[in-house]
Amino acid sequence: MTKKTIFHTLSRRAALTALAVSAAAIAGLAAPSASFAEDKSIKVGIISGEDEDVWRVVTAEAAKQGLTIETIVFNDYTQPNEALERGEVDANAFQHQPYLDNQIQQHGYHIVNVGYTGVWPIGLYTKKFKTVAELPEGAVIGVPNDPSNEGRALRVLQNEGIIKLKDGTGILATIADIVENPKKVEIKELDAGVVGRAIEDLDAAVVNTDWALKSGLSPADRIAQEPVDDNPYRNFIAVKAGSENEAWVKTLVSSYQNDAVKAEFDRVYKGTGISAY
């Protein structure tokens, strides 16, 4: 091999090496962070009110990890799951498992829990009496009319000795399952968003905590509450089945489950809600 041939061979090898190094450098610059696979924008369905403040902090935390969140605000419980099933939102955060189970049974939704948020112990509220014992015979008591929350409300009344449900009644109890009613109370079924606002027209009402806050009720108006320990009604972030293992889902959950969001959660809910992760 001549010196000229050797020179050309070495030059070609040097050029190929340089190209390989350049390609590796470009790939290194383009590589995403380990915490998130790629920048992504998603829509998350939430319920209007205090949770909007909490999700502003979640959105800020997600942005640090390359995830852009647009919150879509709904005014009642029936809409977020339908929007998720249709693909109008990528996730939602407003419900507990008994509620979702009932929705799946009724509508055939393909929705799964991917991370817990908080629990709001449901309570018995009144503007007229100081204790459960003061409730008179024939008292009119409002309860939410959706299956999961009605069963939950009736259990609060049972725990306080106001009614008794038949043995073996599950979490989806209805007024048809009441077998004892010693005070002959009248149970009035109302929409979850209405029952708290109707408190002045009732003797008492079992109200979800988030709706109690929206209705101007405070812990001072609460005369009974369900237990917190082993509570099956923890709320969570939900996504369509099949997407639960995608990278953005992990980022979304971690953007909620952190100290910054917990601090805002505690500020907004003033102890009526408890972080559940």
Side-chain angles (χ1 to χ4, degrees), residues 62 67 136 157 214 241 248 269:
L67 179 64
L157 299 182
K214 293 177 178 66
W248 66 265
Y269 287 107

Side-chain angles (χ1 to χ4, degrees), residues 9 11 25 46 55 63 65 68 72 74 78-79 95 98-99 143 146 156 159 170 178 180-182 196 207 214 219 242:
T9 301
S11 296
I46 64 172
W55 276 87
Q65 302 183 67
T68 300
I72 306 301
F74 296 97
T78 64
Q79 299 173 4
Q95 65 193 321
Y99 181 82
V143 299
D146 59 280
V156 171
N159 290 343
I178 298 173
E180 293 182 20
N181 184 357
V207 188
K214 293 177 178 66

Side-chain angles (χ1 to χ4, degrees), residues 121-125 142 144 192 195-196 199 205-212 215 217:
I122 201 167
L124 178 64
Y125 293 81
V195 64
I199 195 75
V206 185
V207 188
N208 293 73
T209 301
D210 52 343
W211 285 117
S215 303
L217 297 170

Side-chain angles (χ1 to χ4, degrees), residues 26 40 70 94 98 189-190 206 219 226 232 239 249 267:
I26 292 170
K40 184 175 178 64
E70 178 187 354
F94 77 103
E189 299 165 299
L190 299 168
V206 185
E226 70 183 359
V239 301
V249 175
R267 184 193 72 79

Side-chain angles (χ1 to χ4, degrees), residues 54 89 128 144 213 216 221 242:
V54 175
V89 298
K128 300 176 181 178
L213 289 173
D221 302 313

Side-chain angles (χ1 to χ4, degrees), residues 7 11 50 68 84 108 117 192 203:
F7 175 77
S11 296
E50 292 77 15
T68 300
L84 180 55
T117 55
D203 291 301

Side-chain angles (χ1 to χ4, degrees), residues 131-174:
T131 66
V132 172
E134 291 181 18
L135 290 172
E137 184 169 324
V140 180
I141 302 176
V143 299
N145 63 4
D146 59 280
S148 61
N149 282 310
E150 180 172 5
R152 187 180 183 185
L154 293 176
R155 290 190 175 282
V156 171
L157 299 182
Q158 177 173 253
N159 290 343
E160 297 301 320
I162 298 171
I163 61 169
K164 186 178 187 305
L165 300 169
K166 66 183 178 184
D167 292 341
T169 301
I171 59 175
L172 299 180
T174 71

